[in-house]
């Protein structure tokens, strides 16, 4: 076609050479006009079939077989799977980035997450920097595009993660698990939406009976509900806690009955320092719960005792009247119930409910395995030791080799052993005796935990690295893991709403090397052809499952296994193919429909992702409503509704007038508050010697600033000066080195009249000349005012 390159394609059925789509795409025009199906890229020598619309690989045939000619038809590409395979895309190493490449490949082979970014691209919207969700969406699109290249360079995502966490800057080797946590926390932060619970008749199941576990999960997901008269747990998973809280603190049910106690979970080492903001939400159509913000009570029956579980709103940025969810929390979040039982009176007196995004499992040694297998206090029976089920289709050869290996290096450790060690009961005796509320004295007790809600995708992290004061080392023990049917029922709480308890392996990340240096690779099962592939940076190789089974796993991704969901999807396809023009049309959430297509337990229909609490379309979502909904015929809607419940039913869309009025009132409130603050602060700065100077927490001030600037839709809670004050001589005084700003008495009274709170902390004018902290605080508030 006359173009000099570099993106040139040669037709394999004639002598034509044309340019690619970066120019005028003459190669495609030639193929369409002449019906020449095969073309080869003259730079990469990769072959494309226009009929199959995918890359093909010609089989190496004996010389007696004629070469591929113009007789090529779609049958050659589609009917003989052994002649072609899907080319998978690697990632270029951009400087010790194997930890990132392996993690991204493992995540990209998790169908629920990948399908969300491919099919629900309109939902990937954020105004938060560095917009990592946009970079991840672009990467996923490149990895799974029908004309995908042999490798991509994840530069944009790498730069974004370095902005989020400075730990990943430079070219030093990093931990892939820490990268995963940082990435998923940031994706959640950018994609999170306030969670609206569904109440009323429209959300009840039509059968009139008890709700299914999946519906209970939906009704309580990331929300605060008090159902103190039900035996079944409706409590939701809670996001990871802040680093400042005690991991081993317990919640006493006696105190919980009086209104609930707060407690937290300490972040495991390596967790990014930005926890997900939490807070209780107000249920649509229901009144606000009387529970204190950040607390909630649900009841669960454990060991035939009805006890109240304090729901933990951990890592709360502030106590707001809203909770959040995202596709990340929907897929990866599960919850664990921790209990302490008195061995004298059998009273279960301490309960907490915590969320996990991954399970960090210890690798037991020889002595630990012996204790684990013989422990008389093992409350959670698990299938431990070597089992033929672990080896699946590998046969006796691998089993014999592992038996020989265990003869020399000790007993084989299985993933079930690691799970049993994680969920094993801890004895509370001696110096750790438990103060029983019923016995009114110290007693021997046992502390254990069970899974209350299983995630759709279970991420397991094996603790291979130990970091001591003077040195670090790596545990190289082989851990046998099943490719299919990992059973978690032995670790499940009695009243768990999770019905599916078996998991199949999707992908895993391996580390080769020592604690100081090494290399990461990933093994992933392709969802299309079921084959396993090794992803080693830009190189992708098909491997046998035996190679996967013998890998030194570090992080594993398991997915719930179910054939029932496949049959339900086929039923929907059959109903949709029925042509009944008289049927009504209904709107359904595109995000929930994606869950139905990729989750084993999608939960009840949730149309509140595109509806406001009044049943209309919020004004800020109306301009992209087509990205949020899918139109279904009446028969399909009724089948889904009868099968999963939820709702509400929507057959017409309209902009909510109430929300529009509220939005205008909110904009007016923001403008009044910010204008008043600037005016009062300017008057304060103009005073030469103000008689009263008051202090305000800069943490609260920044939250207020985010609200009035429109970055945060929820106003801050009451003014909280508790972190900058200290009680001395019966008076609250400014704490040394506190993060505070100085405002006038008029400004304080204005903000106090709107938000309440306290305490009031004043500084003396005579101290200002030598008080560097006060001068520093004044400069801070001036800088913030200029920003406003």
């Amino acid at each position: 076609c006359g173009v000099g390159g570099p993106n040139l394609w040669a037709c394999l059925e004639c002598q034509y050479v044309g340019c690619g789509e970066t120019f005028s795409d003459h190669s495609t025009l030639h193929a369409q006009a002449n019906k020449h199906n095969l073309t080869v890229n003259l730079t990469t020598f990769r072959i494309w079939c226009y009929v199959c619309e995918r890359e093909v690989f010609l089989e190496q045939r004996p010389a007696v077989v004629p070469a591929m000619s113009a007789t090529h038809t779609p049958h050659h590409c589609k009917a003989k799977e052994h002649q072609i395979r899907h080319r998978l895309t690697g990632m270029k190493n951009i400087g010790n980035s194997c930890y990132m490449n392996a993690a991204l490949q493992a995540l990209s082979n998790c169908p629920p997450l990948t399908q969300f970014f491919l099919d629900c691209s309109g939902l990937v919207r954020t105004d938060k920097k560095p917009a990592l969700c946009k970079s991840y969406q672009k990467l996923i699109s490149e990895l799974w595009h029908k004309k995908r290249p042999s490798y991509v360079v994840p530069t944009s995502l790498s730069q974004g993660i370095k902005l989020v966490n400075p730990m990943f800057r430079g070219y030093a080797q990093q931990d892939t698990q820490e990268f995963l946590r940082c990435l998923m926390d940031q994706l959640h932060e950018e994609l999170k939406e306030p969670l609206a619970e569904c109440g009323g008749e429209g959300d009840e199941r039509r059968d009139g009976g008890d709700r299914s576990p999946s519906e209970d999960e939906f009704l309580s997901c990331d929300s605060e509900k008090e159902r103190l008269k039900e035996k079944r747990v409706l409590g939701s998973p809670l996001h990871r806690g802040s680093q400042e809280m005690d991991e081993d603190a317990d919640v006493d049910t006696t105190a919980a009955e009086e209104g609930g106690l707060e407690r937290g979970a300490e972040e495991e080492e390596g967790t990014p320092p930005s926890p997900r903001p939490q807070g209780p939400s107000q249920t649509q159509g229901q009144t606000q719960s009387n529970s204190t913000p950040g607390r909630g009570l649900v009841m669960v029956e454990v060991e035939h005792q009805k006890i109240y579980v304090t729901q933990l709103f951990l890592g709360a940025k502030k106590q707001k009247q809203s909770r959040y969810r995202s596709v990340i929390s929907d897929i990866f979040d599960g919850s664990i119930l921790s209990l302490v039982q008195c061995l004298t009176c059998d009273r279960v007196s301490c309960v907490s409910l915590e969320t996990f995004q991954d399970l960090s499992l210890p690798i037991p040694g020889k002595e630990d395995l012996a204790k684990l297998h013989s422990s008389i206090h093992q409350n959670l029976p698990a299938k431990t030791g070597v089992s033929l089920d672990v080896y699946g289709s590998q046969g006796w050869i691998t089993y014999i080799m592992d038996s020989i290996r265990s003869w020399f290096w000790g007993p084989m450790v299985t993933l079930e052993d690691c799970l049993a060690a994680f969920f094993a009961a801890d004895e509370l005796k001696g110096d750790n005796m438990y103060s029983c509320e019923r016995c009114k004295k110290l007693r021997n007790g046992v502390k254990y935990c069970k899974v209350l809600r299983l995630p759709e995708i279970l991420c397991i992290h094996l603790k291979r690295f130990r970091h001591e004061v003077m040195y670090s080392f790596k545990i190289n023990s082989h851990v046998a893991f099943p490719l299919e049917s990992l059973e978690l029922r032995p670790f499940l709480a009695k009243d768990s709403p999770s019905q599916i308890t078996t998991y199949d392996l999707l992908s895993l990340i391996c580390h080769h090397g020592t604690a100081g240096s090494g290399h990461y690779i990933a093994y992933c099962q392709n969802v299309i052809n079921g084959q396993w592939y090794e992803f080693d940076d830009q190189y992708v190789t098909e491997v046998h499952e035996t190679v996967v089974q013998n890998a030194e796993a570090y992080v594993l991704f398991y997915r719930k296994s179910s054939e029932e969901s496949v049959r339900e999807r086929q039923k929907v396809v059959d109903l949709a193919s029925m042509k009944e023009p008289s049927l009504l049309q209904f709107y359904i959430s595109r995000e929930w429909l994606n869950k139905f297509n990729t989750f084993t337990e999608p939960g009840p229909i949730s149309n509140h992702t595109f509806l406001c609490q009044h049943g209309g379309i919020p004004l800020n979502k109306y301009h992209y409503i087509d990205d949020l909904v899918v139109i279904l015929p009446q028969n399909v809607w009724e089948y889904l509704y009868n099968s999963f419940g939820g709702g509400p039913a929507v057959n017409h869309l309209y902009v909510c007038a109430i929300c529009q009025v509220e939005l205008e009132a909110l904009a007016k409130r923001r403008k009044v508050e910010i204008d008043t603050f600037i005016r009062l602060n300017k008057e304060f700065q103009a005073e030469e010697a103000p008689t009263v100077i008051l202090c305000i927490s800069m943490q609260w001030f920044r939250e207020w600033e985010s609200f009035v600037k429109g970055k945060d839709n929820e106003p801050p809670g009451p003014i909280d000066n508790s972190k900058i004050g200290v009680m001395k001589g019966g008076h609250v005084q400014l704490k040394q080195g506190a993060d505070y700003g100085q405002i006038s008495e008029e400004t304080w009274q204005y903000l106090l009249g709107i938000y309440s709170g306290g305490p009031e902390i004043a500084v003396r004018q005579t101290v200002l000349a030598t008080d560097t902290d006060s001068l520093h605080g004044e400069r801070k508030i001036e800088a913030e005012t200029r920003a406003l």
Side-chain angles (χ1 to χ4, degrees):
C1 68
V3 176
N7 188 23
L8 297 179
W9 294 80
C11 178
L12 290 181
E13 303 181 24
C14 69
Q15 298 180 353
Y16 181 82
V17 176
C19 61
E21 56 187 6
T22 54
F23 295 96
S24 300
D25 203 6
H26 288 120
S27 61
T28 301
L29 296 177
H30 167 81
Q32 293 173 347
N34 298 277
K35 295 184 179 180
H36 290 176
N37 302 324
L38 293 178
T39 180
V40 59
N41 189 289
L42 296 181
T43 302
T44 63
F45 299 106
R46 297 171 67 176
I47 301 173
W48 179 262
C49 175
Y50 283 99
V51 177
C52 299
E53 293 188 342
R54 65 183 55 168
E55 184 177 5
V56 298
F57 296 83
L58 304 183
E59 185 183 39
Q60 295 294 333
R61 301 188 180 190
V64 295
V65 179
M68 185 72 70
S69 64
T71 60
H72 170 79
T73 65
H75 174 78
H76 291 83
C77 293
K78 293 185 176 181
K80 298 184 179 181
E81 192 174 87
H82 67 276
Q83 293 187 15
I84 64 169
R85 56 184 172 87
H86 295 280
R87 168 69 62 87
L88 300 180
T89 302
M91 294 186 193
K92 186 176 181 180
N93 193 312
I94 51 180
N96 274 338
S97 63
C98 59
Y99 70 92
M100 176 180 68
N101 294 346
L104 292 175
Q105 292 287 11
L107 274 183
S108 71
N109 282 274
C110 295
L113 185 64
T114 295
Q115 288 304 126
F116 171 83
F117 281 94
L118 291 177
D119 299 339
C120 305
S121 57
L123 299 177
V124 185
R125 298 172 181 270
T126 184
D127 55 357
K128 299 177 181 178
K129 302 298 182 182
L132 207 61
C133 60
K134 290 286 187 181
S135 300
Y136 185 78
Q137 181 189 32
K138 181 176 181 293
L139 178 67
I140 291 297
S141 300
E142 292 175 345
L143 290 177
W144 293 98
H145 193 273
K146 64 180 182 180
K147 295 184 179 180
R148 48 185 174 265
S150 60
Y151 67 89
V152 296
V153 185
T155 306
S156 176
L157 194 141
S158 176
Q159 293 173 347
I161 206 71
K162 291 176 182 179
L163 292 175
V164 173
N165 195 329
M167 175 179 68
F168 298 107
R169 295 175 184 173
Y171 298 97
Q173 295 188 8
Q174 302 292 344
D175 184 79
T176 189
Q177 174 67 3
E178 294 176 349
F179 172 81
L180 277 170
R181 286 180 172 176
C182 182
L183 173 63
M184 290 196 285
D185 277 347
Q186 184 64 25
L187 290 178
H188 169 84
E189 187 68 23
E190 293 179 357
L191 297 174
K192 69 180 183 181
E193 289 190 349
L195 184 73
E197 291 189 50
C198 310
E201 298 178 357
D203 297 325
E204 296 295 329
R205 293 290 297 252
R206 293 188 178 183
D207 56 14
D210 292 339
R211 295 183 181 90
S212 68
S214 59
E215 185 166 359
D216 285 343
E217 172 186 329
F218 166 74
L219 288 171
S220 63
C221 181
D222 284 316
S223 61
E224 181 185 34
K225 293 178 70 76
E226 291 187 31
R227 295 182 174 272
L228 302 180
K229 296 183 180 180
E230 296 185 14
K231 292 183 180 180
R232 302 177 61 182
V233 173
L234 301 185
S236 73
L238 308 166
H239 296 303
R240 266 202 309 272
S242 66
Q243 295 174 325
E244 302 173 358
M245 300 184 180
D246 182 14
E247 187 178 45
D248 296 324
D250 288 315
V251 179
D252 187 82
T253 52
T254 304
E257 292 172 10
E258 297 174 358
L261 294 176
E262 291 181 336
R263 70 173 292 270
E266 183 181 355
E267 290 268 8
E268 186 181 348
E269 182 180 357
T271 303
S274 54
R276 304 174 187 172
Q278 303 297 320
S281 66
Q282 184 167 348
T283 305
Q284 178 185 346
Q286 300 179 2
T287 58
Q288 178 76 21
S289 171
N290 293 327
S291 300
T292 305
R295 306 169 187 170
L297 297 177
V298 291
M299 196 189 73
V300 59
E301 185 175 7
V302 180
E303 304 296 337
H304 308 291
Q305 299 181 39
K306 295 180 179 179
I307 55 179
Y308 297 110
V309 181
T310 300
Q311 295 196 124
L312 308 179
F313 300 90
L314 304 179
K317 176 182 175 183
K318 51 200 169 192
Q319 292 182 348
K320 294 182 177 181
Q321 302 305 309
S322 61
R323 304 287 309 284
Y324 296 93
R325 57 149 295 277
S326 72
V327 63
I328 300 297
S329 61
D330 290 347
I331 295 174
F332 295 99
D333 278 8
S335 58
I336 284 182
L337 191 66
S338 299
L339 308 104
V340 177
Q341 185 173 9
C342 177
L343 294 181
T344 302
C345 66
D346 293 330
R347 181 173 186 260
V348 181
S349 56
C350 294
V351 179
S352 64
L353 184 63
E354 303 175 17
T355 285
F356 65 89
Q357 191 181 75
D358 55 66
L359 293 180
S360 291
L361 307 182
I363 301 177
K366 294 181 182 180
E367 296 181 359
D368 298 325
L369 276 178
K371 292 179 181 179
L372 192 64
H373 295 168
S374 62
S375 175
I376 61 174
H377 296 295
Q378 181 63 35
N379 291 295
L380 296 171
K383 184 176 66 175
T384 57
V386 180
S387 171
L388 287 178
D389 295 339
V390 174
Y391 297 94
S393 60
Q394 293 181 62
W396 286 93
I397 297 178
T398 305
Y399 174 70
I400 294 174
M401 293 299 296
D402 285 336
S403 299
I404 297 174
R405 182 190 305 174
S406 64
W407 177 269
F408 288 100
W409 290 283
M412 174 66 64
V413 181
T414 68
L415 188 59
E416 286 85 351
D417 290 329
C418 299
L419 286 166
F422 178 85
F423 288 102
D426 294 328
E427 296 181 4
L428 303 178
K429 60 183 181 180
D431 294 338
N432 295 323
M433 289 182 70
Y434 161 64
S435 178
C436 179
E437 291 293 330
R438 177 179 292 173
C439 300
K440 304 298 182 182
K441 60 177 63 177
L442 292 176
R443 295 290 194 187
N444 289 338
V446 60
K447 181 178 181 180
Y448 59 98
C449 58
K450 295 183 179 181
V451 177
L452 184 62
R453 176 180 176 271
L454 290 169
E456 178 67 25
I457 290 183
L458 175 65
C459 178
I460 295 178
H461 163 229
L462 297 178
K463 294 183 177 179
R464 291 197 175 274
F465 299 102
R466 298 284 178 84
H467 302 285
E468 305 295 342
V469 177
M470 300 298 295
Y471 65 96
S472 300
F473 65 94
K474 178 185 176 184
I475 301 174
N476 292 304
S477 303
H478 177 72
V479 177
F481 52 89
L483 298 182
E484 296 178 347
S485 301
L486 174 66
E487 181 59 69
L488 292 185
R489 186 170 296 278
F491 314 107
L492 208 61
K494 176 183 177 182
D495 294 304
S496 171
S498 300
Q499 293 181 321
I500 300 173
T501 59
T502 57
Y503 283 81
D504 298 333
L505 187 64
L506 284 174
S507 57
L508 69 148
I509 304 173
C510 301
H511 179 268
H512 301 292
T514 64
S517 62
H519 182 64
Y520 287 100
I521 63 172
Y523 293 101
C524 307
Q525 186 180 37
N526 186 269
V527 69
I528 300 175
N529 59 18
Q531 297 297 319
W532 283 93
Y533 294 87
E534 178 189 87
F535 293 85
D536 186 354
D537 287 333
Q538 68 188 67
Y539 303 104
V540 183
T541 309
E542 183 176 340
V543 296
H544 192 266
E545 62 182 25
T546 307
V547 177
V548 179
Q549 193 70 45
N550 291 325
E552 192 177 287
Y554 179 49
V555 180
L556 304 101
F557 289 90
Y558 279 91
R559 180 187 186 184
K560 284 183 178 178
S561 54
S562 175
E563 296 180 359
E564 182 64 27
S565 56
V566 178
R567 290 191 291 268
E568 287 174 345
R569 292 170 199 142
Q570 185 58 45
K571 177 66 174 177
V572 169
V573 172
D574 295 341
L575 288 173
S577 62
M578 298 172 59
K579 298 185 180 297
E580 299 184 33
S582 60
L583 294 178
L584 295 175
Q585 291 183 333
F586 287 81
Y587 296 92
I588 194 170
S589 165
R590 184 182 297 272
E591 187 171 5
W592 185 89
L593 202 59
N594 180 70
K595 282 186 183 181
F596 171 75
N597 289 326
T598 57
F599 280 44
T600 53
E601 294 179 297
I605 299 170
S606 176
N607 280 342
H608 289 273
T609 55
F610 65 89
L611 296 176
C612 68
Q613 58 181 342
H614 312 109
I617 308 299
L619 189 63
N620 61 332
K621 293 184 177 180
Y622 189 77
H623 66 283
Y624 62 93
I625 188 62
D626 291 340
D627 296 332
L628 305 180
V629 299
V630 174
I631 300 177
L632 297 179
Q634 182 178 352
N635 58 342
V636 176
W637 163 259
E638 290 180 350
Y639 172 78
L640 293 175
Y641 179 79
N642 288 326
S643 300
F644 298 98
V650 180
N651 55 19
H652 69 284
L653 302 175
Y654 61 91
V655 178
C656 179
I658 300 177
C659 285
Q660 190 169 1
V661 172
E662 292 178 351
L663 197 62
E664 293 173 355
L666 182 63
K668 183 178 179 181
R669 172 186 171 177
R670 285 171 169 155
K671 186 176 187 305
V672 170
E673 286 190 27
I674 194 172
D675 289 347
T676 304
F677 174 83
I678 292 176
R679 177 178 58 81
L680 293 176
N681 202 58
K682 284 182 178 180
E683 295 175 359
F684 173 59
Q685 301 294 340
E687 290 187 61
E688 294 183 0
T691 56
V692 179
I693 298 178
L694 298 178
C695 304
I696 192 167
S697 166
M698 289 303 297
Q699 180 181 354
W700 183 91
F701 183 83
R702 294 186 190 100
E703 295 172 1
W704 173 81
E705 179 190 13
S706 296
F707 168 67
V708 295
K709 280 185 172 183
K711 294 182 179 179
D712 202 330
N713 292 327
E714 296 290 337
I719 299 173
D720 184 11
N721 278 348
S722 60
K723 293 183 179 180
I724 66 171
V726 60
M727 183 67 70
K728 289 184 179 179
H731 299 283
V732 181
Q733 299 182 14
L734 186 65
K735 185 186 297 184
Q736 183 73 18
D739 185 21
Y740 77 100
Q742 296 180 356
I743 58 176
S744 66
E745 183 178 15
E746 291 78 8
T747 306
W748 170 263
Q749 292 298 334
Y750 176 73
L751 294 175
L752 190 68
I754 299 176
Y755 296 100
S756 69
E760 181 178 306
I761 303 176
V763 293
R764 296 177 180 272
Q765 174 64 24
T766 55
V767 183
L768 291 180
T770 58
D771 192 346
T772 57
D773 285 339
S774 297
L775 294 175
H776 179 58
E778 186 174 357
R779 285 196 295 271
K780 280 185 180 178
I781 208 74
E782 286 179 352
E784 297 289 346
T785 306
R786 285 195 295 272
L788 288 173

